[in-house]
Amino acid sequence: HVQLVESGGGSVQPGGSLNLSCVITGDTYGRGYVGWFRQAPGKERDGVAAIDSEGSASYGDSVQGRLTISRDNAKNTLYLRMNSLKPEDTAIWSCAADTSRNYCKFPEEVPTFAYRGRGTQVTVS
């Protein structure tokens, strides 16, 4: 049984920073794709970042230059460093993983990964 548990959300002022973490258990973590998506009230889920097993990362246009995704396979943990946060970043941020993938149509496929966490609230105001 695969589980993803996020942490690190919170409330910050515009321009602030947060670090999100996602611990993934129950599978061989190092394979496939992992990523982050967010969902604001009344809006669709929005893929924001993804990284493959080789460490190649992709970012959404709205977060490019402000977010850094990384993975530590030894710790089964995915990270997201968020800088220069804006009010429009306010959302529930969730991690996702799919160890069977060798391709990701970014960003739309990130929220459809096989396994997803419950999310952590990020509020910028």
Side-chain angles (χ1 to χ4, degrees):
H1 179 62
V2 178
Q3 287 189 309
L4 290 79
V5 179
E6 302 93 341
S7 61
S11 297
V12 296
Q13 294 182 342
S17 298
L18 284 173
N19 293 318
L20 304 184
S21 298
C22 172
V23 177
I24 303 175
T25 59
D27 197 355
T28 305
Y29 169 65
R31 298 180 287 113
Y33 276 83
V34 288
W36 293 90
F37 65 94
R38 64 187 179 186
Q39 187 166 24
K43 294 189 176 181
E44 297 289 323
R45 293 183 297 181
D46 177 29
V48 293
I51 187 169
D52 67 14
S53 59
E54 301 299 319
S56 179
S58 299
Y59 297 96
D61 290 342
S62 64
V63 301
Q64 183 74 41
R66 300 190 295 121
L67 268 57
T68 303
I69 188 172
S70 61
R71 62 193 296 176
D72 185 333
N73 292 342
K75 295 182 178 180
N76 284 8
T77 302
L78 176 67
Y79 302 99
L80 188 68
R81 171 69 177 175
M82 304 193 294
N83 294 322
S84 303
L85 285 164
K86 305 175 180 179
E88 51 264 44
D89 294 319
T90 295
I92 296 175
W93 290 64
S94 302
C95 58
D98 197 327
T99 57
S100 65
R101 283 180 177 268
N102 55 19
Y103 174 74
C104 172
K105 186 177 182 182
F106 184 86
E108 55 262 45
E109 289 187 343
V110 177
T112 69
F113 283 2
Y115 307 107
R116 298 176 294 277
R118 293 188 175 186
T120 184
Q121 178 69 46
V122 171
T123 302
V124 186
S125 64

